[in-house]
Amino acid sequence: MANIEAPTDTVLLANGDVDTEIPPPAHSPYAPDTLAIHADDYLNRVPDVAPPLHVATTFRYADDPDKLVPARELDSHPTDQHIYSRHTAPTTTRLEALLTPLLHAPSLTYSSGLSALFALYTYLRPTRVAISGGYHGTHAVLSLHSKLTGLQLLPLTTPATTLHPGDIIHLETPLNPSGEALNIAFFADIAHSRGAYLVVDATFGPPGLQEPFALGADVVMHSGTKYLGGHSDLLCGVVATRKEEWVRGLKEERAVLGSVMGGMEGWLGVRSLRTLGVRVQRMSVGAEKLVGWLSGLLDHDDDGDDDDDETGEQRRIVRRVVARVQHASLQRADLLPPVGAPPGTPSWLRRQMPHGFGGVFALTMKSEALARRLPSKLHLFAHATSLGGVESLIEWRAMSDKGVDGRLLRVSVGIEDWEDLRGDLLRGCREVAGKEEEGKE
């Protein structure tokens, strides 16, 4: 099969050879699932169908002195030229080649999500950042920048008039740990009206679920450890932007910060992106079905006249232990068309997430004791932090987040059969409900 063609240009390599292949653009006529398999075809140099793993940290220069090109004469590193892996390496270059069309912008990888965030704010050096809620690690990084630079942190509800050119609105959507969504286009309009920028942390809404650049984002970042990696076996951070000067600056500073991925992690990332589309869709569908089942039990009228015996029993069990479920699919007001809009006009949420609402949701239990015990009663959900892997996880969030409600459980749905997961949750709720009753006797 012929490879997907990359645009051509002439680039002089350090060894004196001419490279006529450069990375394909961020926009492509191919579907994302196709790009996840073939967007890196132009980098193939061996007959292996599965790309080889490169672990070298340093790479030979040309033997011929006449073919040596000093660094001062190179504007950038061509895709086939590697000198030292703190700058570029074959496997991470391939990973970035896949991410660029999937994220619809040039993409850079980092050693973790937080290292990517730190690098981004080190480069941009904003005076003010508007942010509310979301991942506690993000707030920790911004607090560190506040200590270093005097960065001022504002809430997302801050009046637009308080924002100045160069300031940043940092929007995480869907939010950690609830899985609820915020309106990207709304905050993009606010930011741009003041000459500020919008940074979107789309970790919970990976490619296939939302496209933040289409809604006005200036930068999109991911903890690639989560859905992009998808197998709970690599650390990765990603920053993507369409601002060419920013890409160049971030890449130069990354080499100084040293926050690059290793060869093994880059190779695992390539492996993971091949199946991104099918994984994310299955997880999102499974989560929405579980959320619909739970919310249906919690929200149903108490008379129960139309219940069969099984449904009524499920309702009694779940209501005894679960107080609330949160997920973007339950933002019913945000799923309604805008008031006064022509028929068929989608709501902002359906426009933002037309193919699903993500694989993470939150449960608030009736007590902290119930939240502490439920994970130990489940067989198909591992009690662990993180999310986005093929295996389902549940976390008593108080284990890793000091500021969270002690009754909250974060659930990350994997690719297991959703009905099996439903049965496991019901069994676990029944067991902790029974223990709760025993404790009252």
Side-chain angles (χ1 to χ4, degrees):
M1 184 186 71
N3 292 340
I4 289 180
E5 295 183 359
T8 59
D9 198 355
T10 299
V11 178
L12 184 65
L13 301 181
N15 64 7
D17 295 337
V18 172
D19 182 17
T20 57
E21 293 183 299
I22 62 176
H27 305 285
S28 171
Y30 292 99
D33 286 350
T34 302
L35 292 170
I37 306 296
H38 295 289
D40 60 330
D41 280 353
Y42 71 96
L43 292 172
N44 291 338
R45 295 292 181 270
V46 294
D48 309 45
V49 173
L53 166 63
H54 298 267
V55 295
T57 58
T58 190
F59 304 86
R60 292 185 180 89
Y61 296 120
D63 291 332
D64 185 348
D66 293 333
K67 292 184 177 181
L68 296 175
V69 180
R72 65 177 179 270
E73 296 178 17
L74 287 174
D75 292 330
S76 62
H77 293 290
T79 57
D80 275 3
Q81 176 196 338
H82 303 287
I83 296 173
Y84 189 58
S85 62
R86 184 161 42 79
H87 297 273
T88 63
T91 49
T92 49
T93 295
R94 185 179 288 271
L95 178 59
E96 291 171 354
L98 291 172
L99 287 167
T100 290
L102 292 175
L103 296 179
H104 304 284
S107 302
L108 297 175
T109 55
Y110 293 83
S111 55
S112 70
L114 289 184
S115 69
L117 183 72
F118 183 86
L120 175 64
Y121 281 98
T122 298
Y123 177 75
L124 294 178
R125 294 176 300 146
T127 302
R128 282 166 292 273
V129 173
I131 181 172
S132 294
Y135 178 43
H136 63 91
T138 299
H139 293 269
V141 168
L142 293 177
S143 294
L144 182 58
H145 275 278
S146 294
K147 183 178 77 171
L148 295 172
T149 68
L151 172 68
Q152 182 182 1
L153 299 179
L154 307 170
L156 280 177
T157 54
T158 190
T161 53
T162 63
L163 296 174
H164 301 160
D167 290 347
I168 290 175
I169 293 179
H170 186 103
L171 192 71
E172 182 180 310
T173 185
L175 280 162
N176 186 359
S178 70
E180 294 174 321
L182 298 174
N183 189 334
I184 295 174
F186 173 78
F187 286 100
D189 289 344
I190 292 176
H192 298 156
S193 72
R194 303 296 298 172
Y197 301 111
L198 178 66
V199 172
V200 174
D201 182 340
T203 297
F204 280 45
L209 294 185
Q210 62 182 13
E211 295 183 13
F213 285 115
L215 299 170
D218 297 292
V219 179
V220 175
M221 63 159 296
H222 286 263
S223 172
T225 307
K226 312 305 191 294
Y227 285 102
L228 301 182
H231 294 78
S232 303
D233 57 7
L234 70 100
L235 290 176
C236 169
V238 180
V239 171
T241 180
R242 293 174 176 175
K243 298 182 184 297
E244 294 182 9
E245 182 181 353
W246 291 11
V247 174
R248 288 193 297 270
L250 285 163
K251 192 170 186 178
E252 290 173 2
E253 292 187 0
R254 181 182 63 177
V256 177
L257 291 170
S259 50
V260 294
M261 295 181 71
M264 182 66 180
E265 288 76 15
W267 184 87
L268 288 170
V270 170
R271 176 269 337 244
S272 297
L273 289 183
R274 304 302 196 201
T275 60
L276 177 66
V278 291
R279 286 189 288 105
V280 167
Q281 283 301 314
R282 185 171 178 89
M283 294 169 181
S284 183
V285 168
E288 192 167 348
K289 287 181 177 180
L290 286 172
V291 165
W293 167 67
L294 287 165
S295 64
L297 297 177
L298 293 175
D299 297 343
H300 192 273
D301 292 337
D302 289 329
D303 54 42
D305 291 341
D306 58 347
D307 290 345
D308 56 41
D309 290 342
E310 181 179 357
T311 302
E313 176 65 13
Q314 291 180 7
R315 178 170 296 109
R316 285 188 289 274
I317 292 169
V318 170
R319 285 187 172 187
R320 283 166 63 182
V321 296
V322 179
R324 184 186 183 193
V325 59
Q326 293 170 273
H327 187 243
S329 66
L330 299 181
Q331 296 174 228
R332 295 184 176 91
D334 296 322
L335 290 168
L336 298 174
V339 176
T345 302
S347 67
W348 71 261
L349 184 50
R350 291 197 184 280
R351 177 172 172 243
Q352 183 170 304
M353 304 189 77
H355 305 302
F357 301 102
V360 173
F361 64 91
L363 295 176
T364 300
M365 306 299 284
K366 289 287 184 72
S367 70
E368 184 169 320
L370 287 167
R372 187 186 188 111
R373 288 203 299 267
L374 178 60
S376 67
K377 307 304 179 185
L378 303 177
H379 303 303
L380 301 181
F381 293 82
H383 188 197
T385 194
S386 199
L387 56 108
V390 293
E391 62 288 304
S392 292
L393 302 177
I394 189 168
E395 182 188 20
W396 180 35
R397 194 62 182 150
M399 291 295 293
S400 60
D401 186 345
K402 297 178 182 178
V404 77
D405 186 333
R407 299 171 298 158
L408 190 138
L409 293 168
R410 187 181 68 187
V411 182
S412 173
V413 177
I415 63 173
E416 302 97 334
D417 182 271
W418 85 271
E419 291 182 328
D420 289 338
L421 296 177
R422 178 183 62 183
D424 197 37
L425 281 172
L426 183 62
R427 182 169 52 249
C429 287
R430 180 184 290 113
E431 189 165 345
V432 295
K435 293 290 185 182
E436 188 82 352
E437 288 301 312
E438 289 177 14
K440 294 177 181 179
E441 293 177 358

